[in-house]
Amino acid sequence: MVLTILDAEVDESKWALLKQTYEREVTGLPPSIHQSFLIQSKQEPRLWRVVTHWQSQADLDEMRATTEVPVAVRIFRAAQAEPVFSSWDVAVHAKQ
């Protein structure tokens, strides 16, 4: 299980556009993506993240091997923000 996180600072005037773009772009997610979240920092409201839960590292690698701009990057760029990418291995997972 892998998580990707894209962080970007977004101007307040672009927040509605960011949310609208996210909602439009994440319809019909591929089976390799379990969940995706657009989140906003409570402490630093200009800081936004797209967190995506991937089924496997192989699925993430396959997507990254394409020449297509990743969806999460397109979402931020639509709001005139350039995201920073990181990926995380899920060491332990709990679910209620």
Side-chain angles (χ1 to χ4, degrees):
M1 199 180 323
V2 176
L3 295 178
T4 56
I5 301 173
L6 281 87
D7 295 304
E9 286 194 11
V10 179
D11 289 336
E12 186 174 356
S13 65
K14 302 292 182 188
W15 292 357
L17 176 60
L18 180 70
K19 291 187 267 187
Q20 291 166 357
T21 305
Y22 178 87
E23 289 173 344
R24 183 180 66 246
E25 291 283 344
V26 298
T27 59
L29 290 173
S32 58
I33 294 178
H34 287 290
Q35 297 180 76
S36 180
F37 302 91
L38 174 64
I39 60 177
Q40 181 182 23
S41 172
K42 287 184 174 279
Q43 291 75 32
E44 298 176 49
R46 290 175 41 94
L47 180 59
W48 290 77
R49 289 184 174 155
V50 172
V51 179
T52 304
H53 171 195
W54 293 83
Q55 183 172 302
S56 69
Q57 182 65 49
D59 290 323
L60 174 59
D61 292 343
E62 183 178 321
M63 182 279 301
R64 292 196 58 151
T66 69
T67 57
E68 187 176 325
V69 176
V71 170
V73 173
R74 289 195 317 255
I75 290 167
F76 279 115
R77 287 181 178 168
Q80 299 177 345
E82 192 60 35
V84 175
F85 170 85
S86 63
S87 63
W88 301 75
D89 283 323
V90 176
V92 180
H93 175 248
K95 189 175 180 180
Q96 193 170 19

